[in-house]
Amino acid sequence: MQNIISLFEYQFFQNALMAAILTSALAALIGTYIVSRKVVFISGGITHASFGGIGMAYFFGLNPFLGAVVFAIGASLGIEWISTRGKMREDSAIAILWSLGMALGIIFVFLTPGYTPNLMSFLFGSILSVGMADILVLAVVLVVTSLFFIILYRPVVDTAFDPEFARTRGVPVTFIRNSMAILVAVAIVLSIRVMGIILVLSIFTIPQNTALLFYGKFSGIIKGSVLFGISGSILGLIAASAFDIPGSAAIIFMLTLQFLISKTIVLIKKRNQSRM
């Protein structure tokens, strides 16, 4: 217990903890929208598509995260355009851009002259190396996203659940969906720093599905996602330090464990109620 408490004295652990909390809160907002729209794999599609931006940024000598943001926003808006005006199913658009982004990333990394960059931190995350600059960016994006949800909460909910009905009520569905597409893209790219391309899909879906076991309303799912996301992240970081394993993988394990325990509790409760 003393060793666990001593972890909080280290600056790198404090930074990792703050990054995990901010990422969990941001993912709670964005992930609830994604889950409500039933397009869970859009986060995976945008994440893998952003790898194309990372590869191109390395090739042209630019900041890889800047390339990822630009490519992710383009992919996110592209998915929206293709699915609404391109006469193509959304899952098909996600699959195309997912594959294209990964292919471009691999090609440009291969073509980059000199030493091939180490992409492990992008693929699996590097939460213990997060700095204050990363935390500040996460905080700013979280504030902007929160304000967007607060100001346009009802239009966002209506657009997520039934865009056609929302249009009949005068909701600017196209504006909401495009704005959310940009916020989703930025949130996903920032989460890559913490979770990595391979695992980032989980932080946007597992806490939300755990919250769905206990909450039915959009606002309730957000609150539950924040709770489960933060608690899972803290437990994951402690487990990572205790067993010397990757932080992002430990966090995902804890989030999944939370879901399985919650699901079991709900099933037992329902079985007991049915017997009464």
Side-chain angles (χ1 to χ4, degrees):
M1 188 65 185
Q2 186 63 34
N3 291 334
I4 293 176
I5 295 175
S6 65
L7 286 173
F8 293 88
E9 299 176 0
Y10 295 101
Q11 186 63 48
F12 77 90
F13 190 83
Q14 294 174 10
N15 290 346
L17 184 62
M18 186 62 67
I21 292 172
L22 293 173
T23 301
S24 297
L26 182 60
L29 292 168
I30 299 297
T32 301
Y33 172 80
I34 292 172
V35 170
S36 298
R37 275 193 60 185
K38 299 179 180 179
V39 286
V40 168
F41 280 100
I42 194 172
S43 55
I46 295 171
T47 303
H48 287 78
S50 69
F51 187 66
I54 293 173
M56 293 176 71
Y58 269 120
F59 182 79
F60 292 107
L62 303 173
N63 186 308
F65 276 98
L66 178 61
V69 168
V70 173
F71 219 82
I73 291 175
S76 188
L77 292 174
I79 290 171
E80 287 292 342
W81 186 88
I82 291 173
S83 61
T84 55
R85 300 185 183 181
K87 307 302 181 183
M88 181 184 293
R89 286 176 48 177
E90 200 161 34
D91 57 348
S92 298
I94 292 171
I96 291 171
L97 291 174
W98 181 319
S99 305
L100 176 62
M102 290 298 292
L104 288 174
I106 293 171
I107 290 171
F108 277 97
V109 167
F110 181 81
L111 293 175
T112 301
Y115 174 72
T116 302
N118 182 10
L119 300 176
M120 291 296 289
S121 62
F122 292 104
L123 295 177
F124 298 102
S126 183
I127 189 171
L128 294 179
S129 65
V130 170
M132 283 304 301
D134 301 304
I135 293 173
L136 288 174
V137 173
L138 272 169
V140 170
V141 174
L142 176 59
V143 170
V144 171
T145 304
S146 300
L147 289 174
F148 185 87
F149 270 76
I150 292 170
I151 296 171
L152 297 170
Y153 176 77
R154 180 48 57 187
V156 168
V157 174
D158 292 342
T159 301
F161 284 100
D162 195 341
E164 297 304 321
F165 178 69
R167 281 193 177 92
T168 63
R169 298 182 60 185
V171 175
V173 173
T174 301
F175 169 77
I176 295 295
R177 291 184 67 157
N178 287 338
S179 298
M180 284 303 304
I182 294 172
L183 291 175
V184 168
V186 174
I188 286 173
V189 171
L190 292 180
S191 300
I192 290 175
R193 187 79 168 89
V194 176
M195 306 307 301
I197 290 174
I198 304 299
L199 301 173
V200 75
L201 174 64
S202 304
I203 195 69
F204 287 88
T205 55
I206 298 176
Q208 290 73 20
N209 280 284
T210 306
L212 271 170
L213 296 173
F214 304 100
Y215 302 94
K217 293 184 178 180
F218 194 90
S219 58
I221 298 172
I222 292 176
K223 295 174 183 177
S225 299
V226 172
L227 174 63
F228 289 115
I230 291 176
S231 59
S233 296
I234 294 174
L235 291 173
L237 284 174
I238 293 174
S241 299
F243 297 101
D244 193 24
I245 56 177
S248 56
I251 290 172
I252 298 307
F253 177 81
M254 288 299 176
L255 292 177
T256 305
L257 186 62
Q258 281 184 338
F259 174 79
L260 293 176
I261 293 174
S262 299
K263 185 69 173 179
T264 301
I265 292 172
V266 170
L267 289 175
I268 292 174
K269 185 177 179 180
K270 286 183 178 180
R271 182 177 296 180
N272 291 335
Q273 289 178 342
S274 64
R275 289 178 178 177
M276 294 177 64

